[in-house]
């Protein structure tokens, strides 16, 4: 994605919650150096992060998992619940973890986070992740998310349980849901289904709306929890 923002496009408002001051300073400088991003706030604990999020309404929050007072999982749940209660657009939350297969990352995603990043990710990858999650996409491969669930959580139901809302999907939407649940990108789905990427994007938006899901990571969670994955 280009780092040059169009003049008429609002900058993505980014906030950080992490208990390490040096790490916060580095992320603040990195984000502030980008013309399409705006660093709007930081906090050193989960509890302070909840207050900060309510005060500045960021679009994307980078959230450390292990912090004093309140960890990143509880903070993620609290921030999203507060936004829902206020009828506001919830921020996209990306949890930061040290280990790729981290049980806490799995719990955070189940709590509403839109993905996870390793804390030692390359700066360019972190910046791309902010832009990607702001656009409503996952910041990790969906297969990695599913691997987390399979490794740490109870297995999916042996017999698929189809939720009532899932029954509202059209046949085409079900096909696209299945492919998205496997982690395929819009371009890959378009190639398989002989559709344009724009059409796939429209279908994905309708699927998320019908199932009341925030993004593609939550779609994978939904598919796993209800035994709708292959």
């Amino acid at each position: 994605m280009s780092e040059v923002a169009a003049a008429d496009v609002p900058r993505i408002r980014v906030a950080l919650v992490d208990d390490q001051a040096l790490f916060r300073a580095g992320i603040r400088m990195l984000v502030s150096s980008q013309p399409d991003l705006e660093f709007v706030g930081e906090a050193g604990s989960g509890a302070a992060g909840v207050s900060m999020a309510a005060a500045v309404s960021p679009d994307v929050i980078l959230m450390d998992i292990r912090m004093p007072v309140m960890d990143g999982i509880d903070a993620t749940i609290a921030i999203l619940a507060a936004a829902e209660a206020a009828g506001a657009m919830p921020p996209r939350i990306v949890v930061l973890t040290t280990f790729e297969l981290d049980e806490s990352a799995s719990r955070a995603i189940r709590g509403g986070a839109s993905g996870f990043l390793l804390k030692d990710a390359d700066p360019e990858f972190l910046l791309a992740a902010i832009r990607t999650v702001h656009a409503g996409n996952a910041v990790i491969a969906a297969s990695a998310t599913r691997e987390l669930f399979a490794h740490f959580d109870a297995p999916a139901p042996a017999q698929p349980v189809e939720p009532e809302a899932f029954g509202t999907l059209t046949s085409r939407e079900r096909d696209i849901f299945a492919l998205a649940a496997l982690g395929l990108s819009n371009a890959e789905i378009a190639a398989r289904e002989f559709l344009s990427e724009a059409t796939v994007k429209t279908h994905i938006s309708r699927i998320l709306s019908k199932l009341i899901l925030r993004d593609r990571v939550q779609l994978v969670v939904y598919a796993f929890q209800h035994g709708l994955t292959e």
Side-chain angles (χ1 to χ4, degrees), residues 215-226:
D215 51 38
R216 292 170 70 117
V217 170
Q218 296 301 308
L219 183 151
V220 174
V221 174
Y222 184 95
F224 183 87
Q225 289 179 324
H226 296 290

Side-chain angles (χ1 to χ4, degrees), residues 15-118:
L16 171 66
V17 183
D18 191 283
D19 64 339
Q20 297 180 358
L22 188 60
F23 182 78
R24 294 201 307 272
I27 296 298
R28 185 193 317 123
M29 291 177 61
L30 177 66
V31 170
S32 298
S33 71
Q34 304 300 299
D36 61 331
L37 306 180
E38 179 182 4
F39 192 85
V40 297
E42 62 183 83
S45 72
V50 174
S51 298
M52 179 271 295
V56 303
S57 301
D59 299 315
V60 176
I61 299 176
L62 302 176
M63 175 77 71
D64 188 22
I65 287 182
R66 295 173 178 82
M67 291 181 293
V69 184
M70 175 187 286
D71 67 23
I73 300 171
D74 288 340
T76 292
I77 294 171
I79 289 170
L80 295 177
E84 181 178 358
M89 178 68 69
R92 306 286 184 180
I93 299 180
V94 179
V95 295
L96 304 172
T97 181
T98 305
F99 303 103
E100 186 168 359
L101 287 181
D102 191 314
E103 181 178 6
S104 297
S106 173
R107 290 172 53 212
I109 292 172
R110 284 189 178 278
S114 295
F116 76 91
L117 288 177
L118 297 181

Side-chain angles (χ1 to χ4, degrees), residues 6 9 14 29 44 47 49 58 65 67 79 92 119 122 124 146 155 157 185 187 207 210 226:
V9 177
V14 182
M29 291 177 61
I65 287 182
M67 291 181 293
I79 289 170
R92 306 286 184 180
K119 293 193 74 170
D122 292 338
E124 288 304 314
R146 291 165 60 237
S185 67
I207 291 168
K210 287 182 178 181
H226 296 290

Side-chain angles (χ1 to χ4, degrees), residues 25 54 58 69 78 89 91 111 120 138 141 154 172 178 188 197 204 209 221-222 230:
V69 184
M89 178 68 69
D120 61 355
R172 172 65 81 181
E188 291 169 331
E197 287 188 48
I204 292 291
S209 177
V221 174
Y222 184 95
E230 295 183 359

